[in-house]
Structures are given as structure tokens and as C-alpha cells.
Amino acid sequence: MARKSWIQREKKKKKLEQKYHLIRRYLKKEISKVKLLNDEQWKKIHGKLQSPPRNSSPTRLRRRCFVTGRARSNYRDFGLSRHTLREMVNRCLLPGVTRSSW
């Protein structure tokens, strides 16, 4: 089980990311329209893009298991960590998943 403080921190980052998502997307579109890299307009837009908090960036988010909160070895299709996935497959709680054994 992950620490509760880590899980709360991730929730806070998710909220920030959603808050600044549209602003980021708009500024990135504006930057793509500007042709010259040394242009003053580009520098102005780039400065605005740097102004939101760091934790509002989507790359700072981690996928976590929604049952245990484990951050590592998550399966995107299920949203579960490998430990939880194995337990659920053994109990036949996930339809369509077959266990492999050899």
C-alpha cells in the first residue's frame, strides 16, 4: 500500500493539470504558429508557457493502481498493479483474462 501522502500529492497534481490544461494547449498552438525561434513574440509566449506551476505539467503525473495506490508496474488496460492484477485474475474477477501457466 502506498503512503496516503503520496496519493494525496498525486491528486493535487491532477487537479492542477486539469486547471492549466487549456491554457497550456492554447499557448502551445500559438508557439507553433510563430516561425522564427529568435522572434520577440516567441520569447513572450514562451515566458507565458513557463509561468504556470511546475506540478501542473502532465509529465509530472504518475499512473497509480486504483486499488493499492502502487506507482510502479501498472497495466494501462486495467489500471491495476501487477500484484493486484494477479490476485484478481486468480479469483476470476476480470472477465476475458486467462491465466498462463507452463
Side-chain angles (χ1 to χ4, degrees):
M1 190 75 161
R3 278 202 225 161
K4 291 184 180 182
S5 60
W6 290 346
I7 296 170
Q8 293 304 317
R9 196 177 303 153
E10 284 294 322
K11 287 181 182 176
K12 189 176 178 182
K13 286 180 188 178
K14 183 77 172 163
K15 238 186 216 181
L16 267 176
E17 193 270 330
Q18 289 173 351
K19 180 179 178 182
Y20 289 99
H21 174 72
L22 294 176
I23 296 169
R24 248 178 225 289
R25 193 170 67 181
Y26 170 74
L27 290 173
K28 284 187 178 185
K29 275 187 181 178
E30 291 296 315
I31 271 190
S32 68
K33 290 177 184 176
V34 177
K35 300 292 183 201
L36 298 174
L37 293 179
N38 294 329
D39 194 30
E40 290 298 321
Q41 187 181 7
W42 184 87
K43 289 180 182 177
K44 184 178 173 184
I45 295 171
H46 185 68
K48 286 182 183 177
L49 190 58
Q50 296 295 316
S51 64
R54 280 188 174 180
N55 283 340
S56 67
S57 173
T59 57
R60 294 224 172 202
L61 294 176
R62 289 200 69 152
R63 253 182 283 118
R64 290 189 174 269
C65 173
F66 72 90
V67 175
T68 60
R70 182 177 164 87
R72 295 181 177 219
S73 68
N74 281 315
Y75 288 88
R76 288 183 186 176
D77 297 337
F78 303 104
L80 299 169
S81 66
R82 62 186 172 90
H83 303 294
T84 312
L85 181 72
R86 185 174 181 191
E87 288 174 8
M88 292 180 87
V89 167
N90 286 340
R91 293 182 194 159
C92 299
L93 296 175
L94 293 175
V97 179
T98 57
R99 226 172 65 180
S100 132
S101 58
W102 55 87

